[in-house]
């Protein structure tokens, strides 16, 4: 199953209720969990990265389409969080956060009401910078940083 399939099903289930609430002046919000792995291609992320990139794009489109209806959309792009999934990684995970640290960062992001919530900043800002580099610089740099 591709990462974004669950998001499509969730949207199908909750969007009618959110539209009803928004029409009644109560608004509503959606949060989609993507990842900094969706910013740009990374080694060892053949399925994970493209699925997260699709979620980021999906969230951007939803934000543009639903804001006028009073429905807010957020995308959460964490770096590495210590989970059962990341425990299987066979590479060093920079700026690894505990689940509690990640939850705290997400709640802080909701309070600031930014479309994108990303953390930890010391890692995600570097990934954002890499995402803007031309390929001739990006590929050698990402190989150097990841050993890939």
């Amino acid at each position: 199953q591709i990462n974004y399939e669950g998001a499509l099903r969730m949207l199908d289930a909750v969007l009618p209720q959110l539209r009803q609430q928004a029409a009644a002046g109560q608004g509503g919000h959606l949060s989609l969990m993507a990842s900094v792995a969706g910013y740009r291609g990374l080694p060892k992320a053949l399925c994970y990265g493209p699925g997260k990139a699709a979620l980021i794009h999906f969230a951007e489109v939803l934000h543009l389409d639903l804001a006028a209806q009073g429905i807010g959309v957020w995308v959460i792009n964490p770096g590495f969080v210590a989970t059962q999934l990341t425990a299987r990684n066979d590479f060093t995970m920079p700026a690894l956060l505990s689940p509690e640290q990640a939850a705290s960062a997400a709640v802080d992001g909701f309070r600031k009401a930014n479309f994108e919530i990303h953390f930890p900043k010391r890692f995600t800002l570097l990934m954002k910078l890499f995402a803007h580099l031309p390929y001739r610089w990006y590929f050698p740099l990402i190989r150097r940083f990841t050993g890939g």
Side-chain angles (χ1 to χ4, degrees):
Q1 179 173 335
I2 304 295
N3 286 327
Y4 55 84
E5 186 177 334
L8 291 171
R9 290 182 181 177
M10 179 271 308
L11 184 65
D12 187 50
V14 302
L15 191 55
Q17 177 66 36
L18 288 173
R19 282 190 168 132
Q20 214 172 39
Q21 285 175 207
Q26 297 170 337
H29 296 87
L30 293 169
S31 301
L32 296 169
M33 182 65 73
S35 169
V36 295
Y39 289 166
R40 196 99 183 239
L42 294 169
K44 299 185 180 187
L46 184 59
C47 293
Y48 186 80
K52 296 303 184 178
L55 281 170
I56 293 168
H57 188 105
F58 186 52
E60 290 170 351
V61 171
L62 288 173
H63 176 78
L64 292 167
D65 288 350
L66 298 176
Q69 298 175 39
I71 301 170
V73 177
W74 285 297
V75 64
I76 304 170
N77 290 321
F80 294 105
V81 179
T83 64
Q84 291 178 347
L85 179 65
T86 57
R88 295 185 289 185
N89 287 348
D90 62 355
F91 54 87
T92 302
M93 294 172 282
L96 182 67
L97 296 180
S98 71
E100 296 79 13
Q101 290 170 312
S104 178
V107 168
D108 186 50
F110 290 131
R111 283 189 189 117
K112 293 177 182 170
N114 294 328
F115 163 72
E116 182 190 18
I117 300 169
H118 61 96
F119 52 84
K121 297 289 191 241
R122 65 187 183 277
F123 177 66
T124 58
L125 291 175
L126 180 63
M127 294 302 294
K128 283 179 166 294
L129 172 66
F130 282 178
H132 293 284
L133 295 176
Y135 289 118
R136 70 176 191 267
W137 296 345
Y138 174 73
F139 289 138
L141 270 174
I142 206 66
R143 284 186 184 113
R144 181 174 171 220
F145 279 92
T146 63

